[in-house]
Amino acid sequence: SMTIPFVGESRDVVFNTENRHDMLETKFGFLFRYIISVDEFNHPASALIPETLKKIEITDAYKIDKDAFQYCTKVERIILNDGVENIGNFAFSGCSGLVEFKVPDTVTEIGIYAFSACSSLENITIPDSVTSIGEYAFSNCTALKEVCIPVNVQIFSLASLTAVAPL
């Protein structure tokens, strides 16, 4: 298990798509300083994260940036602090080992594909504070048993639940 205050190089790093170095600084894998593969667009696709690391706790973040934990396939549990307001696009996409996740009560927005392909995710708790859930946010979460969409959600697409187990 690992406890860290925030994801990336700095709590306040700004994600900048024009600067590949900034992209690396916002990812969890930045801690290990080693990217082992890139996708067809030359973006980092996975980081060398110890296979024995199963639980990560974040204690002082206010956002989880785009792609922050993408493809952390062995991590089973990620705990976010209250105070996180935004879960970015693809933030946990491809975290195929993730079993359960509690969205903090301070989150208002869940980005597109945020939890897509979290194929072991069985339970997710979405608080009433969430007002926006991006498209395909839970697509290909084939083990997901239940999703309760809060009444406060103003932006939501049924495509967010594409290829989810029958609910």
Side-chain angles (χ1 to χ4, degrees):
S1 123
M2 173 182 271
T3 301
I4 55 177
F6 48 81
V7 181
E9 179 181 31
S10 144
R11 183 176 187 266
D12 298 317
V13 73
V14 176
F15 180 77
N16 177 356
T17 57
E18 300 300 315
N19 182 340
R20 187 162 185 261
H21 182 65
D22 278 357
M23 287 178 28
L24 300 178
E25 291 172 352
T26 63
K27 293 179 72 69
F28 174 69
F30 181 81
L31 286 173
F32 300 99
R33 298 243 183 231
Y34 186 68
I35 302 298
I36 57 173
S37 65
V38 294
D39 65 15
E40 65 273 14
F41 304 108
N42 208 29
H43 297 136
S46 63
L48 181 62
I49 296 170
E51 290 194 15
T52 55
L53 183 58
K54 303 293 183 192
K55 177 184 167 189
I56 301 166
E57 184 171 357
I58 309 297
T59 60
D60 192 34
Y62 59 88
K63 63 181 177 172
I64 303 299
D65 275 319
K66 176 184 185 295
D67 303 328
F69 290 93
Q70 191 174 33
Y71 303 119
C72 291
T73 59
K74 302 298 182 184
V75 176
E76 297 172 357
R77 192 162 181 225
I78 299 173
I79 301 167
L80 302 181
N81 60 284
D82 281 336
V84 171
E85 298 171 1
N86 179 285
I87 295 176
N89 300 341
F90 297 92
F92 302 99
S93 178
C95 291
S96 56
L98 193 61
V99 176
E100 66 177 290
F101 192 90
K102 181 185 181 300
V103 177
D105 291 337
T106 51
V107 169
T108 59
E109 181 179 349
I110 298 173
I112 63 169
Y113 294 94
F115 294 92
S116 67
C118 290
S119 55
S120 298
L121 186 63
E122 295 178 359
N123 298 302
I124 187 159
T125 303
I126 303 172
D128 289 338
S129 60
V130 173
T131 58
S132 174
I133 299 174
E135 287 189 317
Y136 303 101
F138 303 103
S139 65
N140 295 306
C141 291
T142 53
L144 199 57
K145 296 177 182 171
E146 180 178 63
V147 178
C148 294
I149 308 300
V151 69
N152 297 338
V153 171
Q154 298 168 6
I155 301 171
F156 177 73
S157 165
L158 286 178
S160 295
L161 300 173
T162 303
V164 171
L167 301 174

